Amino acid sequence: MAAKKIDGKTVAAELRAKVAAAAQQWTQRHGKAPGLAVVLVGNDPASEVYVRNKVRQSEECGISSYEYKRDASCSEQELLALIASLNANDAVHGILVQLPLPKHINTAVILESILPEKDVDGFHPVNVGRLSSGMEGLVPCTPYGAMALIQSVHPKLDGLNAVVVGRSNIVGKPMAQLLLARNCTVTIAHSRTRDLPEVVRQADILVAAVGQSEFIRGDWIKPGACVIDVGINRVSAADGSTRLLGDVAFDEASNVAGAITPVPGGVGPMTIACLLRNTLVAATQSRGETLPAI
Ligand code: NDP
Protein backbone atom coordinates (compact mmCIF):
# COMPACT_ATOMS: atom_id res chain seq x y z
CA MET A 1 0.00 0.00 0.00
CA ALA A 2 1.31 3.46 -0.83
CA ALA A 3 2.47 5.51 2.15
CA LYS A 4 0.41 8.41 3.48
CA LYS A 5 1.86 11.63 2.10
CA ILE A 6 2.54 14.09 4.95
CA ASP A 7 1.38 17.47 3.66
CA GLY A 8 3.85 20.04 4.96
CA LYS A 9 2.13 22.88 3.09
CA THR A 10 -1.10 22.37 4.99
CA VAL A 11 0.54 21.89 8.41
CA ALA A 12 2.68 25.00 7.80
CA ALA A 13 -0.37 27.06 6.74
CA GLU A 14 -2.16 26.02 9.96
CA LEU A 15 0.86 27.03 12.04
CA ARG A 16 1.14 30.39 10.23
CA ALA A 17 -2.55 31.07 10.88
CA LYS A 18 -2.03 30.46 14.62
CA VAL A 19 1.07 32.68 14.62
CA ALA A 20 -0.87 35.43 12.79
CA ALA A 21 -3.71 35.32 15.33
CA ALA A 22 -1.27 35.45 18.26
CA ALA A 23 0.79 38.22 16.59
CA GLN A 24 -2.37 40.29 16.16
CA GLN A 25 -3.17 39.96 19.87
CA TRP A 26 0.43 40.84 20.77
CA THR A 27 0.20 43.95 18.58
CA GLN A 28 -3.08 44.99 20.22
CA ARG A 29 -1.52 44.64 23.68
CA HIS A 30 1.70 46.50 22.88
CA GLY A 31 0.73 48.99 20.17
CA LYS A 32 3.29 47.69 17.68
CA ALA A 33 3.98 44.39 15.95
CA PRO A 34 6.63 41.82 16.89
CA GLY A 35 9.77 42.50 14.82
CA LEU A 36 12.15 40.23 12.92
CA ALA A 37 15.49 41.49 11.55
CA VAL A 38 16.88 39.55 8.60
CA VAL A 39 20.53 40.10 7.72
CA LEU A 40 21.86 39.09 4.31
CA VAL A 41 25.55 39.42 3.37
CA GLY A 42 26.51 39.05 -0.28
CA ASN A 43 24.33 38.06 -3.22
CA ASP A 44 23.97 34.29 -3.20
CA PRO A 45 20.83 33.77 -5.35
CA ALA A 46 19.40 30.96 -3.16
CA SER A 47 19.89 33.08 -0.01
CA GLU A 48 18.17 36.03 -1.70
CA VAL A 49 15.14 33.84 -2.44
CA TYR A 50 15.03 32.52 1.16
CA VAL A 51 15.26 36.05 2.57
CA ARG A 52 12.52 37.32 0.24
CA ASN A 53 10.23 34.49 1.35
CA LYS A 54 10.97 35.09 5.03
CA VAL A 55 10.24 38.81 4.72
CA ARG A 56 7.02 38.23 2.75
CA GLN A 57 5.65 35.58 5.09
CA SER A 58 6.54 37.69 8.17
CA GLU A 59 4.49 40.57 6.83
CA GLU A 60 1.59 38.23 5.96
CA CYS A 61 1.58 37.02 9.58
CA GLY A 62 1.58 40.56 11.04
CA ILE A 63 5.27 40.47 12.05
CA SER A 64 7.30 43.55 11.06
CA SER A 65 10.40 42.62 9.13
CA TYR A 66 13.56 44.70 8.92
CA GLU A 67 15.93 43.75 6.13
CA TYR A 68 19.65 44.54 6.29
CA LYS A 69 21.62 43.81 3.11
CA ARG A 70 25.39 44.13 3.09
CA ASP A 71 27.93 43.64 0.28
CA ALA A 72 29.97 40.43 0.19
CA SER A 73 32.96 42.63 1.16
CA CYS A 74 31.35 43.55 4.51
CA SER A 75 33.88 42.93 7.30
CA GLU A 76 33.30 40.81 10.39
CA GLN A 77 33.61 43.95 12.52
CA GLU A 78 30.93 45.75 10.50
CA LEU A 79 28.61 42.77 10.85
CA LEU A 80 29.26 42.55 14.59
CA ALA A 81 28.43 46.27 14.89
CA LEU A 82 25.16 45.75 13.01
CA ILE A 83 24.18 42.84 15.28
CA ALA A 84 25.08 44.86 18.40
CA SER A 85 22.70 47.60 17.22
CA LEU A 86 19.93 45.04 16.58
CA ASN A 87 20.52 43.45 19.99
CA ALA A 88 19.91 46.89 21.52
CA ASN A 89 16.86 47.70 19.38
CA ASP A 90 13.59 47.17 21.31
CA ALA A 91 11.55 46.91 18.08
CA VAL A 92 13.56 43.83 17.05
CA HIS A 93 12.60 40.63 18.87
CA GLY A 94 14.27 38.16 16.53
CA ILE A 95 17.53 38.35 14.57
CA LEU A 96 18.28 36.01 11.70
CA VAL A 97 21.59 36.02 9.86
CA GLN A 98 21.15 34.19 6.56
CA LEU A 99 23.77 31.47 6.09
CA PRO A 100 26.17 30.77 4.48
CA LEU A 101 28.26 33.87 5.21
CA PRO A 102 31.23 34.82 3.01
CA LYS A 103 34.36 32.82 3.88
CA HIS A 104 36.24 35.74 5.47
CA ILE A 105 33.59 36.01 8.20
CA ASN A 106 33.68 33.58 11.13
CA THR A 107 30.13 32.21 11.30
CA ALA A 108 30.48 30.94 14.88
CA VAL A 109 31.59 34.39 16.09
CA ILE A 110 28.63 36.04 14.38
CA LEU A 111 26.05 33.56 15.67
CA GLU A 112 27.43 33.88 19.20
CA SER A 113 27.11 37.68 19.04
CA ILE A 114 23.30 37.47 18.73
CA LEU A 115 21.56 37.75 22.09
CA PRO A 116 20.28 34.22 22.92
CA GLU A 117 16.80 35.61 23.57
CA LYS A 118 16.72 37.09 20.02
CA ASP A 119 18.32 34.03 18.38
CA VAL A 120 15.27 32.87 16.40
CA ASP A 121 17.36 30.37 14.42
CA GLY A 122 18.26 28.60 17.67
CA PHE A 123 21.95 28.35 16.72
CA HIS A 124 23.48 30.24 19.69
CA PRO A 125 25.45 27.92 22.04
CA VAL A 126 23.13 28.94 24.90
CA ASN A 127 20.07 27.73 22.98
CA VAL A 128 21.94 24.60 21.82
CA GLY A 129 22.77 23.87 25.47
CA ARG A 130 19.20 24.54 26.56
CA LEU A 131 17.87 22.09 23.99
CA SER A 132 20.31 19.37 25.01
CA SER A 133 19.55 19.99 28.71
CA GLY A 134 15.81 19.70 28.15
CA MET A 135 15.25 23.39 29.04
CA GLU A 136 12.95 25.87 27.31
CA GLY A 137 14.71 27.83 24.57
CA LEU A 138 14.60 28.77 20.92
CA VAL A 139 14.83 25.58 18.84
CA PRO A 140 16.27 25.45 15.27
CA CYS A 141 13.42 25.88 12.79
CA THR A 142 13.90 22.96 10.38
CA PRO A 143 14.11 20.23 13.06
CA TYR A 144 11.26 21.86 14.97
CA GLY A 145 9.14 21.78 11.80
CA ALA A 146 10.15 18.19 11.05
CA MET A 147 9.11 17.25 14.59
CA ALA A 148 5.68 18.81 14.07
CA LEU A 149 5.25 16.69 10.93
CA ILE A 150 6.31 13.52 12.77
CA GLN A 151 3.82 14.28 15.53
CA SER A 152 1.04 14.80 13.00
CA VAL A 153 1.44 11.06 12.33
CA HIS A 154 2.72 9.79 15.70
CA PRO A 155 1.38 11.90 18.58
CA LYS A 156 3.19 9.54 20.99
CA LEU A 157 6.72 8.45 20.18
CA ASP A 158 7.74 6.66 23.38
CA GLY A 159 10.15 3.79 22.74
CA LEU A 160 10.19 4.09 18.94
CA ASN A 161 13.52 3.68 17.14
CA ALA A 162 14.50 6.93 15.43
CA VAL A 163 17.41 7.17 13.00
CA VAL A 164 18.68 10.57 11.90
CA VAL A 165 21.02 10.45 8.91
CA GLY A 166 23.20 13.58 9.09
CA ARG A 167 24.84 15.28 12.08
CA SER A 168 24.95 18.95 11.15
CA ASN A 169 24.46 21.58 13.85
CA ILE A 170 21.45 23.02 12.05
CA VAL A 171 19.51 19.83 11.28
CA GLY A 172 20.87 16.44 12.38
CA LYS A 173 22.01 17.13 15.95
CA PRO A 174 19.02 19.24 17.10
CA MET A 175 16.67 16.75 15.38
CA ALA A 176 18.18 13.95 17.44
CA GLN A 177 17.76 16.01 20.63
CA LEU A 178 14.09 16.65 19.88
CA LEU A 179 13.43 12.95 19.23
CA LEU A 180 15.29 12.00 22.42
CA ALA A 181 13.17 14.49 24.37
CA ARG A 182 10.09 12.62 23.05
CA ASN A 183 11.50 9.33 24.42
CA CYS A 184 12.64 7.81 21.13
CA THR A 185 15.67 5.54 21.07
CA VAL A 186 17.87 7.65 18.81
CA THR A 187 20.71 6.75 16.45
CA ILE A 188 22.62 9.47 14.58
CA ALA A 189 24.22 8.19 11.37
CA HIS A 190 26.80 10.02 9.25
CA SER A 191 29.38 9.53 6.52
CA ARG A 192 31.48 7.18 8.68
CA THR A 193 28.57 4.97 9.73
CA ARG A 194 29.11 1.30 8.87
CA ASP A 195 26.41 -0.56 6.97
CA LEU A 196 24.08 2.42 6.78
CA PRO A 197 21.25 0.51 5.03
CA GLU A 198 21.07 -1.90 7.97
CA VAL A 199 21.07 0.98 10.48
CA VAL A 200 18.28 2.71 8.54
CA ARG A 201 16.23 -0.53 8.48
CA GLN A 202 15.88 -0.30 12.27
CA ALA A 203 14.07 3.04 12.04
CA ASP A 204 10.42 3.43 12.99
CA ILE A 205 11.10 7.14 12.42
CA LEU A 206 13.67 8.04 9.77
CA VAL A 207 14.94 11.58 9.25
CA ALA A 208 17.16 12.08 6.20
CA ALA A 209 19.38 15.19 6.22
CA VAL A 210 22.29 14.22 4.00
CA GLY A 211 22.25 16.62 1.05
CA GLN A 212 22.47 13.95 -1.71
CA SER A 213 19.53 13.38 -4.02
CA GLU A 214 17.70 10.05 -3.63
CA PHE A 215 20.52 8.70 -1.47
CA ILE A 216 18.27 6.57 0.76
CA ARG A 217 16.70 3.72 -1.20
CA GLY A 218 13.35 2.02 -0.78
CA ASP A 219 14.82 -1.31 0.36
CA TRP A 220 16.51 0.46 3.31
CA ILE A 221 13.14 1.45 4.76
CA LYS A 222 11.40 -0.55 7.50
CA PRO A 223 7.84 -1.41 6.41
CA GLY A 224 5.42 1.10 7.91
CA ALA A 225 8.12 3.59 8.97
CA CYS A 226 7.55 7.35 9.12
CA VAL A 227 10.03 8.94 6.69
CA ILE A 228 10.92 12.63 6.98
CA ASP A 229 12.99 13.91 4.09
CA VAL A 230 14.78 17.15 4.95
CA GLY A 231 16.96 17.16 1.85
CA ILE A 232 16.54 19.79 -0.84
CA ASN A 233 18.66 19.03 -3.89
CA ARG A 234 18.32 20.89 -7.18
CA VAL A 235 18.98 18.42 -9.97
CA SER A 236 19.38 19.17 -13.70
CA ALA A 237 17.63 17.06 -16.33
CA ALA A 238 19.04 16.28 -19.80
CA ASP A 239 16.82 18.98 -21.35
CA GLY A 240 18.39 21.64 -19.12
CA SER A 241 15.41 21.99 -16.79
CA THR A 242 15.88 21.59 -13.05
CA ARG A 243 13.77 20.07 -10.30
CA LEU A 244 13.99 19.55 -6.58
CA LEU A 245 14.63 16.10 -5.15
CA GLY A 246 14.92 14.95 -1.56
CA ASP A 247 17.51 12.70 0.06
CA VAL A 248 15.11 9.74 -0.16
CA ALA A 249 14.13 7.90 -3.37
CA PHE A 250 10.50 8.93 -2.96
CA ASP A 251 8.73 6.46 -5.30
CA GLU A 252 10.59 3.46 -3.93
CA ALA A 253 10.20 4.52 -0.31
CA SER A 254 6.48 5.26 -0.75
CA ASN A 255 5.86 1.59 -1.49
CA VAL A 256 7.31 0.56 1.89
CA ALA A 257 6.87 3.42 4.37
CA GLY A 258 3.73 4.10 6.39
CA ALA A 259 4.02 7.87 5.94
CA ILE A 260 6.46 10.07 4.03
CA THR A 261 7.11 13.75 3.34
CA PRO A 262 7.39 14.82 -0.31
CA VAL A 263 10.04 17.19 -1.67
CA PRO A 264 9.00 19.87 -2.30
CA GLY A 265 5.99 20.37 -0.04
CA GLY A 266 7.16 18.51 3.07
CA VAL A 267 9.66 19.90 5.57
CA GLY A 268 10.53 22.95 3.43
CA PRO A 269 7.35 24.98 4.11
CA MET A 270 7.62 24.25 7.85
CA THR A 271 10.98 25.99 8.25
CA ILE A 272 9.75 29.55 7.71
CA ALA A 273 6.52 28.91 9.64
CA CYS A 274 8.66 27.82 12.62
CA LEU A 275 10.87 30.90 12.22
CA LEU A 276 7.77 33.08 12.56
CA ARG A 277 6.68 31.05 15.58
CA ASN A 278 10.11 31.54 17.16
CA THR A 279 9.85 35.30 16.57
CA LEU A 280 6.53 35.33 18.39
CA VAL A 281 8.05 33.25 21.22
CA ALA A 282 10.93 35.76 21.49
CA ALA A 283 8.55 38.75 21.48
CA THR A 284 6.32 37.14 24.10
CA GLN A 285 9.22 36.26 26.36
CA SER A 286 10.69 39.77 26.01
CA ARG A 287 7.59 41.01 27.87
CA GLY A 288 7.62 38.19 30.42
CA GLU A 289 4.33 36.86 29.03
CA THR A 290 3.18 33.30 28.44
CA LEU A 291 2.97 32.07 24.86
CA PRO A 292 -0.49 30.96 23.73
CA ALA A 293 -0.62 27.26 22.78
CA ILE A 294 0.77 27.22 19.21
P1 NDP B 1 25.39 19.18 5.89
O1 NDP B 1 26.15 19.06 4.62
O2 NDP B 1 25.83 20.17 6.91
O3 NDP B 1 25.36 17.74 6.59
C1 NDP B 1 25.16 16.58 5.86
C2 NDP B 1 25.30 15.38 6.76
O4 NDP B 1 25.11 14.22 5.97
C3 NDP B 1 26.66 15.27 7.43
O5 NDP B 1 26.52 14.97 8.80
C4 NDP B 1 27.33 14.13 6.68
O6 NDP B 1 28.17 13.32 7.48
C5 NDP B 1 26.14 13.31 6.26
N1 NDP B 1 26.49 12.51 5.09
C6 NDP B 1 27.05 12.95 3.95
N2 NDP B 1 27.29 11.90 3.11
C7 NDP B 1 26.86 10.80 3.78
C8 NDP B 1 26.87 9.42 3.46
N3 NDP B 1 27.37 8.96 2.30
N4 NDP B 1 26.37 8.56 4.38
C9 NDP B 1 25.87 9.00 5.54
N5 NDP B 1 25.84 10.31 5.89
C10 NDP B 1 26.36 11.18 5.03
O7 NDP B 1 23.89 19.40 5.48
P2 NDP B 1 22.65 20.06 6.29
O8 NDP B 1 22.39 19.29 7.53
O9 NDP B 1 22.81 21.52 6.37
O10 NDP B 1 21.47 19.80 5.23
C11 NDP B 1 21.09 18.49 4.85
C12 NDP B 1 20.07 18.58 3.74
O11 NDP B 1 18.93 19.25 4.24
C13 NDP B 1 20.51 19.38 2.52
O12 NDP B 1 19.92 18.81 1.36
C14 NDP B 1 19.91 20.76 2.75
O13 NDP B 1 19.66 21.45 1.53
C15 NDP B 1 18.63 20.39 3.43
N6 NDP B 1 18.10 21.45 4.29
C16 NDP B 1 16.77 21.71 4.17
C17 NDP B 1 16.19 22.67 4.95
C18 NDP B 1 14.72 22.92 4.83
O14 NDP B 1 14.26 23.99 5.11
N7 NDP B 1 13.95 21.90 4.44
C19 NDP B 1 16.97 23.50 5.89
C20 NDP B 1 18.34 23.06 6.01
C21 NDP B 1 18.87 22.08 5.22
P3 NDP B 1 29.58 13.86 8.10
O15 NDP B 1 29.20 14.74 9.24
O16 NDP B 1 30.28 12.63 8.51
O17 NDP B 1 30.25 14.62 7.00
Side-chain angles (χ1 to χ4, degrees), residues 192-226:
R192 312 291 171 90
T193 297
R194 294 185 188 171
D195 199 356
L196 183 64
E198 199 45 44
V199 172
V200 169
R201 277 185 202 109
Q202 308 307 313
D204 301 304
I205 311 287
L206 172 66
V207 180
V210 183
Q212 294 181 34
S213 63
E214 301 190 317
F215 176 74
I216 291 176
R217 311 307 308 188
D219 63 355
W220 302 14
I221 310 283
K222 180 176 178 177
C226 173

Tab-separated table of all heavy atoms in Angstrom, residues 192-226:
chain	number	residue	atom	x	y	z
A	192	ARG	N	30.599	8.270	8.222
A	192	ARG	CA	31.479	7.180	8.681
A	192	ARG	C	30.699	5.993	9.244
A	192	ARG	O	31.294	5.043	9.728
A	192	ARG	CB	32.440	7.679	9.764
A	192	ARG	CG	33.161	8.964	9.440
A	192	ARG	CD	34.180	8.758	8.300
A	192	ARG	NE	34.696	10.044	7.886
A	192	ARG	CZ	35.775	10.621	8.422
A	192	ARG	NH1	36.446	10.018	9.359
A	192	ARG	NH2	36.173	11.796	7.998
A	193	THR	N	29.377	6.059	9.199
A	193	THR	CA	28.572	4.965	9.734
A	193	THR	C	28.785	3.707	8.905
A	193	THR	O	28.789	3.769	7.674
A	193	THR	CB	27.082	5.375	9.723
A	193	THR	OG1	26.929	6.501	10.591
A	193	THR	CG2	26.179	4.241	10.192
A	194	ARG	N	28.937	2.572	9.595
A	194	ARG	CA	29.114	1.301	8.872
A	194	ARG	C	27.759	0.682	8.586
A	194	ARG	O	26.873	0.709	9.439
A	194	ARG	CB	29.955	0.337	9.713
A	194	ARG	CG	31.350	0.868	9.864
A	194	ARG	CD	32.249	-0.095	10.590
A	194	ARG	NE	33.519	0.593	10.839
A	194	ARG	CZ	34.482	0.116	11.594
A	194	ARG	NH1	34.344	-1.059	12.179
A	194	ARG	NH2	35.595	0.789	11.772
A	195	ASP	N	27.632	0.100	7.421
A	195	ASP	CA	26.406	-0.565	6.970
A	195	ASP	C	25.170	0.308	7.222
A	195	ASP	O	24.250	-0.068	7.963
A	195	ASP	CB	26.240	-1.932	7.655
A	195	ASP	CG	25.254	-2.809	6.867
A	195	ASP	OD1	24.670	-2.314	5.877
A	195	ASP	OD2	25.050	-3.968	7.250
A	196	LEU	N	25.189	1.464	6.594
A	196	LEU	CA	24.083	2.420	6.777
A	196	LEU	C	22.707	1.828	6.435
A	196	LEU	O	21.751	2.032	7.195
A	196	LEU	CB	24.361	3.690	5.958
A	196	LEU	CG	23.343	4.801	6.103
A	196	LEU	CD1	23.309	5.338	7.533
A	196	LEU	CD2	23.656	5.940	5.135
A	197	PRO	N	22.580	1.064	5.321
A	197	PRO	CA	21.252	0.512	5.027
A	197	PRO	C	20.678	-0.289	6.201
A	197	PRO	O	19.501	-0.182	6.521
A	197	PRO	CB	21.499	-0.377	3.804
A	197	PRO	CG	22.692	0.228	3.135
A	197	PRO	CD	23.547	0.755	4.247
A	198	GLU	N	21.549	-1.066	6.860
A	198	GLU	CA	21.068	-1.901	7.972
A	198	GLU	C	20.681	-1.020	9.172
A	198	GLU	O	19.699	-1.312	9.875
A	198	GLU	CB	22.169	-2.906	8.362
A	198	GLU	CG	21.688	-4.107	9.149
A	198	GLU	CD	20.414	-4.740	8.601
A	198	GLU	OE1	20.289	-4.916	7.372
A	198	GLU	OE2	19.519	-5.054	9.426
A	199	VAL	N	21.418	0.053	9.391
A	199	VAL	CA	21.065	0.984	10.479
A	199	VAL	C	19.709	1.617	10.174
A	199	VAL	O	18.823	1.694	11.033
A	199	VAL	CB	22.160	2.079	10.632
A	199	VAL	CG1	21.715	3.156	11.619
A	199	VAL	CG2	23.471	1.454	11.087
A	200	VAL	N	19.530	2.043	8.934
A	200	VAL	CA	18.279	2.711	8.538
A	200	VAL	C	17.088	1.745	8.663
A	200	VAL	O	15.984	2.157	9.045
A	200	VAL	CB	18.412	3.291	7.113
A	200	VAL	CG1	17.076	3.760	6.564
A	200	VAL	CG2	19.423	4.429	7.100
A	201	ARG	N	17.337	0.456	8.404
A	201	ARG	CA	16.233	-0.534	8.478
A	201	ARG	C	15.671	-0.697	9.885
A	201	ARG	O	14.599	-1.269	10.062
A	201	ARG	CB	16.718	-1.913	7.964
A	201	ARG	CG	16.655	-2.014	6.470
A	201	ARG	CD	17.008	-3.403	5.945
A	201	ARG	NE	17.416	-3.228	4.554
A	201	ARG	CZ	18.655	-3.345	4.103
A	201	ARG	NH1	19.629	-3.736	4.899
A	201	ARG	NH2	18.929	-3.097	2.832
A	202	GLN	N	16.383	-0.194	10.890
A	202	GLN	CA	15.879	-0.303	12.271
A	202	GLN	C	14.889	0.824	12.585
A	202	GLN	O	14.262	0.838	13.644
A	202	GLN	CB	17.034	-0.200	13.294
A	202	GLN	CG	18.198	-1.147	13.032
A	202	GLN	CD	17.746	-2.593	12.899
A	202	GLN	OE1	16.961	-3.084	13.709
A	202	GLN	NE2	18.212	-3.267	11.847
A	203	ALA	N	14.769	1.795	11.684
A	203	ALA	CA	14.069	3.043	12.036
A	203	ALA	C	12.545	2.938	11.928
A	203	ALA	O	12.018	2.675	10.844
A	203	ALA	CB	14.567	4.178	11.134
A	204	ASP	N	11.869	3.177	13.051
A	204	ASP	CA	10.421	3.435	12.993
A	204	ASP	C	10.197	4.854	12.484
A	204	ASP	O	9.213	5.143	11.795
A	204	ASP	CB	9.802	3.298	14.383
A	204	ASP	CG	10.018	1.917	14.990
A	204	ASP	OD1	9.620	0.940	14.334
A	204	ASP	OD2	10.600	1.826	16.089
A	205	ILE	N	11.112	5.750	12.897
A	205	ILE	CA	11.097	7.143	12.418
A	205	ILE	C	12.445	7.376	11.739
A	205	ILE	O	13.492	7.205	12.374
A	205	ILE	CB	11.005	8.153	13.597
A	205	ILE	CG1	9.880	7.792	14.585
A	205	ILE	CG2	10.906	9.579	13.085
A	205	ILE	CD1	8.511	8.041	14.096
A	206	LEU	N	12.420	7.764	10.492
A	206	LEU	CA	13.669	8.043	9.768
A	206	LEU	C	13.690	9.503	9.352
A	206	LEU	O	12.733	9.985	8.739
A	206	LEU	CB	13.753	7.158	8.515
A	206	LEU	CG	14.909	7.481	7.562
A	206	LEU	CD1	16.255	7.189	8.217
A	206	LEU	CD2	14.773	6.687	6.260
A	207	VAL	N	14.767	10.202	9.714
A	207	VAL	CA	14.937	11.583	9.254
A	207	VAL	C	16.194	11.626	8.385
A	207	VAL	O	17.284	11.270	8.847
A	207	VAL	CB	15.065	12.576	10.429
A	207	VAL	CG1	15.240	13.999	9.892
A	207	VAL	CG2	13.849	12.481	11.344
A	208	ALA	N	16.033	12.024	7.130
A	208	ALA	CA	17.161	12.080	6.198
A	208	ALA	C	17.595	13.520	6.017
A	208	ALA	O	16.815	14.354	5.547
A	208	ALA	CB	16.741	11.476	4.859
A	209	ALA	N	18.826	13.833	6.402
A	209	ALA	CA	19.384	15.188	6.224
A	209	ALA	C	20.823	15.044	5.770
A	209	ALA	O	21.767	15.320	6.512
A	209	ALA	CB	19.291	15.978	7.530
A	210	VAL	N	20.987	14.598	4.541
A	210	VAL	CA	22.287	14.217	3.996
A	210	VAL	C	22.780	15.240	2.964
A	210	VAL	O	23.956	15.583	2.916
A	210	VAL	CB	22.187	12.823	3.311
A	210	VAL	CG1	23.547	12.378	2.795
A	210	VAL	CG2	21.614	11.787	4.257
A	211	GLY	N	21.853	15.697	2.102
A	211	GLY	CA	22.248	16.621	1.048
A	211	GLY	C	22.684	15.910	-0.220
A	211	GLY	O	23.473	16.451	-1.001
A	212	GLN	N	22.174	14.682	-0.457
A	212	GLN	CA	22.472	13.955	-1.710
A	212	GLN	C	21.164	13.389	-2.246
A	212	GLN	O	20.474	12.641	-1.535
A	212	GLN	CB	23.444	12.807	-1.453
A	212	GLN	CG	24.824	13.293	-1.015
A	212	GLN	CD	25.788	12.146	-0.798
A	212	GLN	OE1	25.736	11.136	-1.481
A	212	GLN	NE2	26.675	12.313	0.169
A	213	SER	N	20.854	13.729	-3.498
A	213	SER	CA	19.532	13.380	-4.016
A	213	SER	C	19.319	11.864	-4.070
A	213	SER	O	20.200	11.120	-4.517
A	213	SER	CB	19.328	13.989	-5.407
A	213	SER	OG	20.263	13.461	-6.297
A	214	GLU	N	18.176	11.447	-3.603
A	214	GLU	CA	17.704	10.049	-3.633
A	214	GLU	C	18.738	9.070	-3.083
A	214	GLU	O	18.859	7.933	-3.544
A	214	GLU	CB	17.289	9.686	-5.063
A	214	GLU	CG	16.192	10.607	-5.557
A	214	GLU	CD	15.572	10.137	-6.859
A	214	GLU	OE1	16.308	9.723	-7.765
A	214	GLU	OE2	14.322	10.185	-6.957
A	215	PHE	N	19.451	9.504	-2.075
A	215	PHE	CA	20.523	8.702	-1.474
A	215	PHE	C	19.958	7.474	-0.731
A	215	PHE	O	20.509	6.383	-0.807
A	215	PHE	CB	21.303	9.615	-0.516
A	215	PHE	CG	22.375	8.940	0.264
A	215	PHE	CD1	23.562	8.562	-0.351
A	215	PHE	CD2	22.212	8.675	1.625
A	215	PHE	CE1	24.565	7.945	0.380
A	215	PHE	CE2	23.209	8.060	2.349
A	215	PHE	CZ	24.389	7.696	1.727
A	216	ILE	N	18.858	7.655	-0.035
A	216	ILE	CA	18.275	6.566	0.760
A	216	ILE	C	17.260	5.812	-0.090
A	216	ILE	O	16.303	6.402	-0.607
A	216	ILE	CB	17.668	7.130	2.062
A	216	ILE	CG1	18.836	7.601	2.936
A	216	ILE	CG2	16.799	6.077	2.771
A	216	ILE	CD1	18.464	8.263	4.208
A	217	ARG	N	17.496	4.512	-0.277
A	217	ARG	CA	16.696	3.721	-1.204
A	217	ARG	C	15.519	3.036	-0.495
A	217	ARG	O	15.511	2.880	0.735
A	217	ARG	CB	17.561	2.631	-1.874
A	217	ARG	CG	18.865	3.100	-2.462
A	217	ARG	CD	18.736	4.265	-3.418
A	217	ARG	NE	17.769	4.099	-4.494
A	217	ARG	CZ	17.627	4.946	-5.506
A	217	ARG	NH1	18.372	6.051	-5.572
A	217	ARG	NH2	16.715	4.736	-6.417
A	218	GLY	N	14.563	2.624	-1.311
A	218	GLY	CA	13.350	2.016	-0.775
A	218	GLY	C	13.607	0.764	0.046
A	218	GLY	O	12.954	0.546	1.070
A	219	ASP	N	14.610	-0.054	-0.376
A	219	ASP	CA	14.817	-1.314	0.356
A	219	ASP	C	15.612	-1.114	1.654
A	219	ASP	O	15.943	-2.075	2.335
A	219	ASP	CB	15.465	-2.385	-0.543
A	219	ASP	CG	16.850	-1.995	-1.010
A	219	ASP	OD1	17.294	-0.861	-0.735
A	219	ASP	OD2	17.511	-2.834	-1.665
A	220	TRP	N	15.913	0.168	2.009
A	220	TRP	CA	16.515	0.465	3.312
A	220	TRP	C	15.422	0.757	4.362
A	220	TRP	O	15.718	0.900	5.531
A	220	TRP	CB	17.397	1.713	3.275
A	220	TRP	CG	18.533	1.710	2.317
A	220	TRP	CD1	18.764	0.859	1.267
A	220	TRP	CD2	19.621	2.639	2.303
A	220	TRP	NE1	19.919	1.210	0.611
A	220	TRP	CE2	20.459	2.294	1.224
A	220	TRP	CE3	19.960	3.736	3.095
A	220	TRP	CZ2	21.628	3.011	0.926
A	220	TRP	CZ3	21.102	4.448	2.802
A	220	TRP	CH2	21.928	4.087	1.726
A	221	ILE	N	14.204	0.934	3.882
A	221	ILE	CA	13.144	1.449	4.763
A	221	ILE	C	12.418	0.300	5.456
A	221	ILE	O	12.062	-0.699	4.813
A	221	ILE	CB	12.095	2.250	3.939
A	221	ILE	CG1	12.772	3.301	3.038
A	221	ILE	CG2	11.020	2.853	4.836
A	221	ILE	CD1	13.244	4.528	3.693
A	222	LYS	N	12.183	0.448	6.747
A	222	LYS	CA	11.400	-0.549	7.500
A	222	LYS	C	9.931	-0.424	7.091
A	222	LYS	O	9.397	0.699	7.056
A	222	LYS	CB	11.558	-0.268	8.993
A	222	LYS	CG	10.819	-1.217	9.904
A	222	LYS	CD	11.161	-0.872	11.360
A	222	LYS	CE	10.411	-1.761	12.317
A	222	LYS	NZ	10.785	-1.488	13.721
A	223	PRO	N	9.259	-1.527	6.790
A	223	PRO	CA	7.843	-1.406	6.407
A	223	PRO	C	7.038	-0.646	7.463
A	223	PRO	O	7.164	-0.907	8.657
A	223	PRO	CB	7.388	-2.874	6.307
A	223	PRO	CG	8.642	-3.616	5.954
A	223	PRO	CD	9.745	-2.916	6.706
A	224	GLY	N	6.273	0.328	7.006
A	224	GLY	CA	5.418	1.103	7.911
A	224	GLY	C	6.092	2.295	8.562
A	224	GLY	O	5.450	3.055	9.302
A	225	ALA	N	7.397	2.497	8.303
A	225	ALA	CA	8.125	3.592	8.966
A	225	ALA	C	7.592	4.965	8.554
A	225	ALA	O	6.989	5.129	7.490
A	225	ALA	CB	9.611	3.505	8.605
A	226	CYS	N	7.851	5.939	9.427
A	226	CYS	CA	7.552	7.349	9.116
A	226	CYS	C	8.844	7.969	8.583
A	226	CYS	O	9.859	7.985	9.287
A	226	CYS	CB	7.083	8.050	10.389
A	226	CYS	SG	6.879	9.821	10.206
